[in-house]
């Protein structure tokens, strides 16, 4: 089984699940989002948001592929780029953090460590850009019937807790959670560790690396 992470671009945007590709819950304020949905073209608004964010700030999402199939994604950005972030009772996001807007793993690939793999990919990216933490609004009632417009757009609290986030502002429905990036970069899931160990043991390059210094030292004529 091969797994890889790629950046969200205007091309890979098309690999998001159809409902997510057409959703502008995070990208627009509530009034504008309702207007976009009523006009029947929210997909164009989402594409415009991704394009602008890529140009002005840089990478704003990761997609995970398993054997070439889209298996999950996350989207993230500074809170200033996410109008919906100010509509939560536990806002605002801390000044030193980027907002992890949403995360989704396709049901067929759940339980394989992809959620943690995605968050770790975000952590690597943001650390290079000088960001210290990721924050997110979690849904404590995810999946419950009749729980409003955020259904599916706000990831479940349990997901964030399972990948290392800690609650920094409690709320019965939408707590705000935080993950220090230095913490995210220090752990690996069991699945990732086993995969890397297997690949490392089978890689010719890995096997040859310890030999190279010795070969270099014996190249001088005696």
């Amino acid at each position: 089984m091969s797994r890889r992470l790629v950046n969200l671009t205007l091309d890979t945007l098309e690999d998001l699940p159809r409902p997510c590709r057409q959703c502008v819950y995070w990208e627009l304020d509530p009034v504008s989002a309702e207007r976009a949905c009523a006009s029947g073209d929210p997909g164009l608004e989402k594409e415009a948001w991704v394009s602008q964010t890529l140009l002005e700030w840089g990478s704003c999402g990761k997609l995970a592929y398993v054997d070439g199939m889209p298996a999950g994604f996350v989207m993230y950005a500074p809170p200033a780029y996410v109008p919906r972030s100010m509509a939560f009772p536990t806002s605002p996001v801390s000044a030193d953090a980027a907002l992890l807007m949403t995360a989704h793993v396709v049901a067929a690939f759940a339980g394989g460590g992809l959620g943690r793999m995605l968050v770790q990919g975000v952590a690597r990216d943001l650390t290079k850009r000088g960001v210290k933490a990721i924050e997110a609004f979690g849904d404590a009632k995810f999946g419950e019937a009749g729980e409003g417009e955020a259904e599916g757009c706000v990831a479940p609290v349990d997901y964030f807790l399972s990948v290392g986030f800690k609650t920094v502002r409690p709320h019965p429905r939408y707590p705000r959670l935080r993950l220090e990036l230095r913490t995210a970069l220090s752990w690996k899931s069991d699945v990732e560790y086993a995969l890397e160990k297997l690949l490392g043991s089978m890689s010719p390059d890995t096997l040859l690396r310890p030999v190279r210094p010795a070969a270099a030292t014996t190249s001088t004529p005696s």
Side-chain angles (χ1 to χ4, degrees):
M1 180 179 70
S2 67
R3 304 188 305 170
R4 64 188 179 98
L5 282 183
V6 304
N7 289 332
L8 178 68
T9 65
L10 293 179
D11 292 329
T12 58
L13 180 64
E14 301 307 318
D15 284 341
L16 265 56
R18 176 58 56 180
C20 302
R21 172 64 180 85
Q22 298 296 318
C23 177
V24 288
Y25 176 85
W26 289 101
E27 293 82 358
L28 300 176
D29 64 79
V31 173
S32 298
E34 184 177 348
R35 187 180 300 122
C37 292
S39 72
D41 217 355
L44 283 179
E45 295 284 354
K46 192 179 193 82
E47 184 175 326
W49 183 90
V50 170
S51 178
Q52 179 180 2
T53 306
L54 285 171
L55 286 171
E56 295 180 358
W57 184 66
S59 179
C60 57
K62 300 283 183 186
L63 285 85
Y65 293 82
V66 175
D67 292 337
M69 297 291 294
F73 76 96
V74 291
M75 293 183 67
Y76 54 97
Y81 282 77
V82 190
R84 177 72 66 161
S85 68
M86 292 305 299
F88 285 83
T90 50
S91 63
V93 173
S94 301
D96 64 347
L99 175 65
L100 199 157
M101 299 152 57
T102 190
H104 177 76
V105 174
V106 176
F109 300 101
L114 287 180
R116 183 165 287 196
M117 179 182 173
L118 285 161
V119 170
Q120 200 167 27
V122 175
R124 289 193 190 100
D125 176 35
L126 293 180
T127 297
K128 294 175 184 176
R129 295 152 76 174
V131 180
K132 294 184 177 180
I134 316 169
E135 293 192 358
F137 299 103
D139 188 349
K141 298 184 179 181
F142 187 89
E144 295 184 15
E147 286 299 336
E149 62 176 342
E151 183 68 31
C153 299
V154 182
V157 169
D158 289 347
Y159 164 73
F160 292 117
L161 294 175
S162 72
V163 296
F165 281 72
K166 306 295 182 184
T167 301
V168 291
R169 189 170 177 191
H171 186 268
R173 179 69 193 272
Y174 296 121
R176 179 160 51 88
L177 305 101
R178 180 180 174 93
L179 178 65
E180 302 293 337
L181 294 187
R182 63 178 180 272
T183 301
L185 292 175
S186 68
W187 45 239
K188 288 184 180 295
S189 70
D190 293 339
V191 173
E192 288 178 290
Y193 176 77
L195 181 63
E196 289 181 358
K197 186 175 181 181
L198 174 64
L199 293 177
S201 68
M202 297 175 64
S203 168
D205 288 341
T206 302
L207 292 173
L208 288 173
R209 277 183 202 127
V211 178
R212 288 171 184 159
T217 58
T218 59
S219 62
T220 304
S222 56

